[in-house]
Structure formats: C-alpha cells, structure tokens
Amino acid sequence: MVGMSSTDSHDAHTSGTPALALTIAGSEATGGAGAQADLKTFQELGAFGMVALTCIVAFDPKDDWNHRFVPVQQDVIAHQLEAIQADYAGTLKTTKLGMMGSPETISTVATALKAQEWDHVVLDPVLICKGQEPGHALDTDRALKAELLPLATFTTPNHFESEQLSGVQIRTLDDLKEAAQRIHVVSGAAVLAKGGIRLDGPDAQDVFYDGETLEVLSAPKIGDHAVSGAGCSLAAAVTAELAKGATPLQAARRAKEFVTEGIKQRVAGNTPFDALWQGGLRRA
C-alpha cells in the first residue's frame, strides 16, 4: 500500500462491489452537515453509505438560526446498528462517528462497535453539541473521551477540539503540530488536526500525524468564515478513502482536496453561514 498514489487509492477496492462505509451521526435537515453531508461524501467518493441516526438537529430561523436538538431514543439507535451490522456482517469494516449528543448514546454506540472487528473507526470528536445545557454537554464530552476515543483508529479534531484533547493552547502551526502528536499519544489513533482558517497566514493548514509521519496539509484560505459541513465532510472523506483501501495519509490528503474544492463551490442560503458542496471535485 505504501507509495500508492491518490489516484490509485480510488481503485484499491477491486472486489467488483463498492466499499462499504457507515456513519453514526445526527441529521441536519438543511443538508450542509451531519449524516446528510456524510452520505453525499461517501457517494461522491465511490463508497456505499449507510447511516444510523443519533439525533435530529433543526436550525430555528426565528431564533437567529440556533440549534434545536432532539435525541433519537436509545433502542432506536441500537436497532439501526443491529440491522446494519447484521446485514453486512463480515464485510462492513469502516465507520465514521459524528455527533452523539448524550452519554447514553455514546454508551449505546460503543457497545455496538465492540460487537465486531473494525479495520477503521474514524472519530469526528464533536465535543460541543449545540442546543444542549452546558452541564449535559460536559458529561457528553467526558463520555466521548472515555468510551469512543479509545476505539478510534483515526480522529479529525477541529481547532477547539484539538485544544481540549491535547491540553495545548493552539496559536501557531507549531502548536497544532504539538497538539496532533499529543492526541496520538493519548488515543493511539492517526490524527488530522484542523487549523483551517483559525491560524494566521494565507493558507488553511491542517496537521496529520500517525506516530511516524508528520505532514502539514495546506491550501489557500477561501473566505474569512467557517463553512457548514467542512468538518463532517472531511471525516467522511477520510472514511470513504480508508474503506476503499487508502492508507491514513493518503486518505487525509484526498479529504483535504475534497473539502477545499467543496468550499470553493459553497452553497448560500438564509443562514449566516454557507454550506460546503460535496460535489466540488466534479468541477475541480
């Protein structure tokens, strides 16, 4: 696998059927983020996607587009995962974890994950679940670190999440490198720590580290504001590429390219933020 080009990785899954990829995440009805973004990303990158919904988030246009958060019942989450894992027993080896929303959901998901072997568990560590009470959000954060982070083989923390997981105050690229290395030590997972637009300079910079290779992934910044769905889509792109046979570094590079092109062709609505378009590579 070492030395395979990004293009070659697209064809690494050669069994005649698409690679399988599961997302365990929340629904975001306007289509910019969450499970909607994940499934579109899987499809664009040639993986067969499935989803187990953990919660439903609906923006409130009458309240400055804040989040309205509704959890999915635990038995419903468990039933979704039971059906998926039974249907693709022995062939589903790659999953992405997005917004969980509660300690109870984290426990339900962790139990299901432990019921089988996985080649890849990609954790997008959503530490702040908007729309929750602060105390409940903190309990969720603690449960995620205790129960899901140890199961992850790859994690994609954003600037805030990288600070929380590493204990490093991130102001520079060197800080981000240190944070990525510390998160790897804590988790054992490959890390793609996202600096994005939050670091000074003309480029959006992210840091990959897997215990051996440290690489800065850089692309010119596009606009001055974060784009809805960028984090979800990045982790989903990593997931799809891993499912197809790419190495973690190859998956990180392809995911960065995927998100960069999607941001260039963002979709605007009436929310105060634009949404990434998962079809950006079609016009790249």
Side-chain angles (χ1 to χ4, degrees):
M1 196 72 71
V2 176
M4 179 168 38
S5 71
S6 175
T7 301
D8 291 339
S9 75
H10 302 167
D11 301 319
H13 188 83
T14 57
S15 66
T17 59
L20 303 180
L22 165 65
T23 178
I24 307 172
S27 168
E28 195 282 274
T30 68
Q36 287 86 340
D38 293 344
L39 288 177
K40 287 185 281 188
T41 298
F42 291 166
Q43 187 76 10
E44 288 290 335
L45 292 175
F48 179 87
M50 58 210 79
V51 58
L53 287 180
T54 57
C55 57
I56 297 173
V57 173
F59 299 134
D60 186 352
K62 297 183 295 296
D63 183 26
D64 197 28
W65 300 96
N66 285 317
H67 290 61
R68 294 177 289 198
F69 175 87
V70 178
V72 173
Q73 294 178 359
Q74 297 308 305
D75 59 343
V76 176
I77 297 171
H79 291 165
Q80 292 176 88
L81 291 168
E82 180 186 31
I84 293 165
Q85 290 175 276
D87 193 9
Y88 299 106
T91 55
L92 175 61
K93 297 289 188 178
T94 304
T95 187
K96 180 223 159 178
L97 310 180
M99 181 182 279
M100 298 290 119
S102 73
E104 294 78 15
T105 293
I106 287 169
S107 294
T108 297
V109 169
T111 297
L113 292 177
K114 292 173 184 177
Q116 70 165 80
E117 295 292 326
W118 298 91
D119 291 339
H120 308 288
V121 176
V122 179
L123 174 63
D124 185 6
V126 183
L127 294 182
I128 294 297
C129 299
K130 300 179 181 67
Q132 294 180 296
E133 293 297 324
H136 186 73
L138 183 59
D139 290 342
T140 302
D141 294 354
R142 289 171 176 161
L144 185 145
K145 294 174 186 176
E147 297 191 59
L148 295 184
L149 189 60
L151 301 178
T153 64
F154 197 120
T155 187
T156 61
N158 64 21
H159 183 275
F160 170 79
E161 293 155 358
S162 293
E163 288 188 329
Q164 296 301 305
L165 293 175
S166 69
V168 175
Q169 188 176 46
I170 300 171
R171 296 294 178 267
T172 67
L173 180 60
D174 285 341
D175 294 338
L176 190 63
K177 291 177 181 178
E178 181 181 354
Q181 293 174 35
R182 288 196 187 186
I183 295 168
H184 171 76
V185 170
V186 170
S187 65
V191 180
L192 182 55
K194 298 173 287 187
I197 64 171
R198 298 190 183 279
L199 299 181
D200 290 338
D203 294 331
Q205 295 178 310
D206 308 322
V207 172
F208 173 87
Y209 184 69
D210 64 356
E212 296 180 358
T213 300
L214 189 149
E215 182 168 317
V216 177
L217 306 181
S218 184
K221 288 180 179 177
I222 306 162
D224 298 322
H225 301 285
V227 174
S228 177
C232 302
S233 299
L234 184 82
V238 167
T239 304
E241 292 299 310
L242 291 174
K244 292 172 356 186
T247 67
L249 179 55
Q250 290 165 350
R253 289 170 176 167
R254 182 63 168 168
K256 176 74 170 181
E257 178 188 15
F258 181 88
V259 167
T260 299
E261 294 302 327
I263 292 174
K264 287 179 183 177
Q265 299 168 65
R266 62 186 72 186
V267 178
N270 290 317
T271 58
F273 43 81
D274 296 337
L276 175 147
W277 182 47
Q278 287 76 23
L281 284 174
R282 300 186 200 182
R283 299 177 185 170

